[in-house]
Amino acid sequence: MQNKPKETNKSKQNAKKRKKNRHCWWAAPVISLSVVVLVVAGLFISQQMEIYRHYRTMRDAVENPTYYAGIYLDGISLENATPEQAIAHWRENVEPSYANRTVTVNVQGRTYTFAAADFGYTSNYEEVLNQAYAIGRSGSLEERYREIQQMAGSSRDVFTERTMVNAALVEERLDEIVSEIDTGASDARVTGFNAETKEFTFAEGVAGYAVNAGQLKSDVLNAFATGENLVVEAQVSLVQPKNTVEAIRAKYGLIDSATTNASSSSSNRLSNIQLACSTINGFCLQPGETFSFNGVVGKRTKDRGYKEAPAYINGLVEDDVGGGICQVSTTLFNAVVKADMKITERSAHSRPVSYVDYGKDAAVNWPDTDLKFTNESNDPIYIVAEVTENKRVVISVYGRMFDDGGSIVIKAKTVETLEPGQPEYRQNASLLPGEFLVVSDAREGYKAEAYKVYLDADGNEIDRELLCKTTYRASGGVIEFGP
């Protein structure tokens, strides 16, 4: 039997080495993996930290309570100001320089000051400041931050809209100022008329001034808009009269007249006619004014000197206070038509009158039947009314005569005759039975037309227009009988 060989020390060492190597082969991979994991974890954490830092940066930027950098209003940076601070600054330091802007107008040594605040100054600065604050405050966090960064690199400008003045208010005030200065020249004119001498009085013209109102308005509005030339000189020119008394004297005189015959009048009737004529004699009717016969002559009463005389009342001839003055109104009617006055009210009598052609009369009765006419010319007219020694009623109109030397006549014609009907019978207790009294005879009626005919200087007709149509009713008469 063989004996087992004895182990040496070297063999023991090799065995231990082999045993050790058999138990630690995995250590290196584990360590390497651990290192990788730690590195990756570190990178992840670092990345998350960077993301969070960027988030905080964006959040801090967008949550800034002041205006973002790069926002300007009218060229002024709003950065680091709150809306309240910006509005207060504009209200106290910026807007007054506009609202308090004044323009001084010089007109012939007179000065007038206009302040923008008094003539409609407005500014939308508060609205624009609020709009500017809203820039970059909508959208996602990233969108807002990106817009803020872009504005910081390139400015975002907003502008105030101002209305320095309300042009209509300024022009209205300037019109008032101009009216004080812009009197224009006063031409030579008629100042009066003497009804007894038939002579006019005149006044020479006076030079005046004319303001260039259009240029003045333009200069003032431009001064407010630009803030330049804040003192405006009005352009005023001297205006000379267009004529002289010598030049116009020959243009004034008798325009025309009308005459009616009152020779058959009773003394009372003639007295009434004279009294009415004296009331309107010398009357002046200014341009645009309307003459009223009843308004000028007034109520016809005995206290005023009027007497009873025959007059037409409801188609019958009866005595009435003031009877006969219809001849005055009729003569006046014819005169003013020939003087080219506009007739605004005229009534015919209930039956024809003897002193004028059918259709050319004008009845009056207090207070409802009137004669009215209007002076539509540019000059005053004067009325001369008189009763001549041979009992003619003459009414003349004086003023500016027709420039072309023409004249006007009234032509009337009867276009139809109306036959009388049956008489009207009335019982009269004062009559005896079977007794009759003819109160009014039967009479024919008429339809008439009157025309206003224009003649040239040679008396040739150049135009005509219908003046009025008149109907005088026929009557079968009135007969009274006893009971």
Side-chain angles (χ1 to χ4, degrees):
M1 177 169 117
Q2 292 180 332
N3 292 329
K4 186 178 181 177
K6 188 180 182 178
E7 290 183 336
T8 65
N9 290 334
K10 186 175 182 180
S11 296
K12 292 179 178 180
Q13 291 176 352
N14 289 334
K16 291 179 178 180
K17 186 175 182 180
R18 285 194 299 271
K19 186 178 180 179
K20 182 178 181 180
N21 290 339
R22 187 170 58 246
H23 293 287
C24 296
W25 62 268
W26 45 269
V30 170
I31 292 171
S32 298
L33 180 60
S34 297
V35 170
V36 169
V37 170
L38 290 173
V39 170
V40 170
L43 289 173
F44 176 78
I45 293 171
S46 176
Q47 184 181 36
Q48 293 301 310
M49 291 290 291
E50 181 63 27
I51 291 174
Y52 179 71
R53 282 194 297 272
H54 183 61
Y55 164 78
R56 287 294 302 271
T57 298
M58 290 191 297
R59 191 185 68 181
D60 291 344
V62 300
E63 291 181 352
N64 182 3
T66 65
Y67 290 91
Y68 297 133
I71 298 179
Y72 291 78
L73 174 59
D74 296 337
I76 301 175
S77 174
L78 299 174
E79 186 176 1
N80 296 326
T82 65
E84 293 76 12
Q85 291 171 336
I87 289 173
H89 175 76
W90 249 258
R91 180 177 61 249
E92 298 168 7
N93 302 295
V94 177
E95 290 303 313
S97 64
Y98 294 96
N100 297 333
R101 182 177 295 176
T102 61
V103 174
T104 300
V105 176
N106 287 338
V107 187
Q108 284 192 318
R110 304 182 193 181
T111 59
Y112 306 86
T113 299
F114 292 72
D118 297 332
F119 286 88
Y121 173 78
T122 60
S123 171
N124 69 339
Y125 72 95
E126 288 194 36
E127 177 185 351
V128 175
L129 284 170
N130 289 329
Q131 292 173 353
Y133 186 71
I135 296 175
R137 298 186 187 274
S138 61
S140 66
L141 180 66
E142 289 80 4
E143 290 171 341
R144 293 175 63 187
Y145 182 73
R146 185 163 51 251
E147 186 175 6
I148 291 170
Q149 294 300 105
Q150 290 174 350
M151 284 190 296
S154 58
S155 64
R156 179 81 63 86
D157 294 326
V158 292
F159 300 93
T160 305
E161 293 182 3
R162 296 182 176 89
T163 299
M164 291 305 302
V165 289
N166 183 318
L169 294 178
V170 172
E171 291 177 358
E172 181 180 355
R173 176 60 183 133
L174 288 174
D175 285 339
E176 294 174 356
I177 294 172
V178 168
S179 67
E180 298 174 5
I181 308 299
D182 194 355
T183 56
S186 173
D187 292 335
R189 65 195 186 283
V190 172
T191 57
F193 176 78
N194 188 316
E196 292 184 5
T197 64
K198 314 294 191 300
E199 293 179 349
F200 289 90
T201 55
F202 299 88
E204 285 290 359
V206 179
Y209 297 93
V211 180
N212 188 334
Q215 186 64 50
L216 179 60
K217 293 174 183 179
S218 176
D219 290 345
V220 170
L221 293 176
N222 185 65
F224 270 118
T226 63
E228 301 174 356
N229 300 320
L230 299 183
V231 177
V232 175
E233 296 287 343
Q235 299 178 13
V236 183
S237 56
L238 183 66
V239 180
Q240 296 295 339
K242 296 179 181 178
N243 52 39
T244 64
V245 169
E246 200 59 36
I248 68 171
R249 188 184 300 277
K251 297 181 179 180
Y252 289 84
L254 174 64
I255 302 175
D256 217 320
S257 65
T259 302
T260 57
N261 189 345
S263 60
S264 62
S265 298
S266 66
S267 60
N268 280 5
R269 187 177 189 277
L270 195 61
S271 176
N272 291 337
I273 292 173
Q274 290 171 330
L275 182 53
C277 282
S278 67
T279 304
I280 66 175
N281 186 46
F283 188 89
C284 175
L285 189 64
Q286 295 292 340
E289 289 185 344
T290 295
F291 178 97
S292 164
F293 189 92
N294 282 339
V296 174
V297 176
K299 187 175 182 180
R300 280 68 80 180
T301 64
K302 290 182 178 181
D303 289 342
R304 297 185 60 228
Y306 286 98
K307 301 175 182 180
E308 288 190 353
Y312 289 158
I313 300 176
N314 297 323
L316 300 178
V317 179
E318 299 179 10
D319 283 345
D320 189 31
V321 176
I325 67 166
C326 285
Q327 185 163 350
V328 178
S329 60
T330 293
T331 310
L332 178 62
F333 170 68
N334 283 261
V336 297
V337 168
K338 293 164 72 176
D340 207 20
M341 298 296 103
K342 179 181 179 181
I343 304 301
T344 55
E345 185 176 336
R346 171 261 177 186
S347 299
H349 289 80
S350 57
R351 54 195 291 180
V353 294
S354 61
Y355 47 81
V356 75
D357 297 334
Y358 296 174
K360 295 170 65 175
D361 58 317
V364 292
N365 184 51
W366 180 270
D368 51 359
T369 304
D370 203 358
L371 169 66
K372 294 181 180 179
F373 55 88
T374 301
N375 178 10
E376 293 188 318
S377 73
N378 297 320
D379 295 273
I381 65 161
Y382 300 88
I383 298 172
V384 175
E386 57 188 337
V387 180
T388 64
E389 292 182 356
N390 62 347
K391 300 181 181 180
R392 298 297 189 271
V393 181
V394 181
I395 297 183
S396 306
V397 180
Y398 286 80
R400 186 183 178 96
M401 298 178 292
F402 300 142
D403 291 335
D404 56 7
S407 61
I408 297 172
V409 297
I410 304 173
K411 292 186 177 181
K413 64 179 180 179
T414 301
V415 295
E416 185 179 352
T417 299
L418 307 175
E419 295 300 323
Q422 295 300 315
E424 178 185 355
Y425 290 93
R426 300 176 183 174
Q427 189 178 61
N428 187 339
S430 64
L431 296 177
L432 296 174
E435 186 178 5
F436 292 87
L437 175 65
V438 177
V439 177
S440 175
D441 292 327
R443 66 178 185 274
E444 293 179 329
Y446 305 95
K447 288 186 177 181
E449 293 177 352
Y451 291 85
K452 189 175 180 181
V453 181
Y454 296 83
L455 307 177
D456 62 19
D458 297 324
N460 301 311
E461 180 176 333
I462 55 177
D463 194 15
R464 71 166 52 200
E465 62 184 41
L466 179 65
L467 177 62
C468 54
K469 291 184 177 182
T470 303
T471 298
Y472 305 100
R473 292 182 180 179
S475 174
V478 178
I479 300 175
E480 294 182 349
F481 59 92

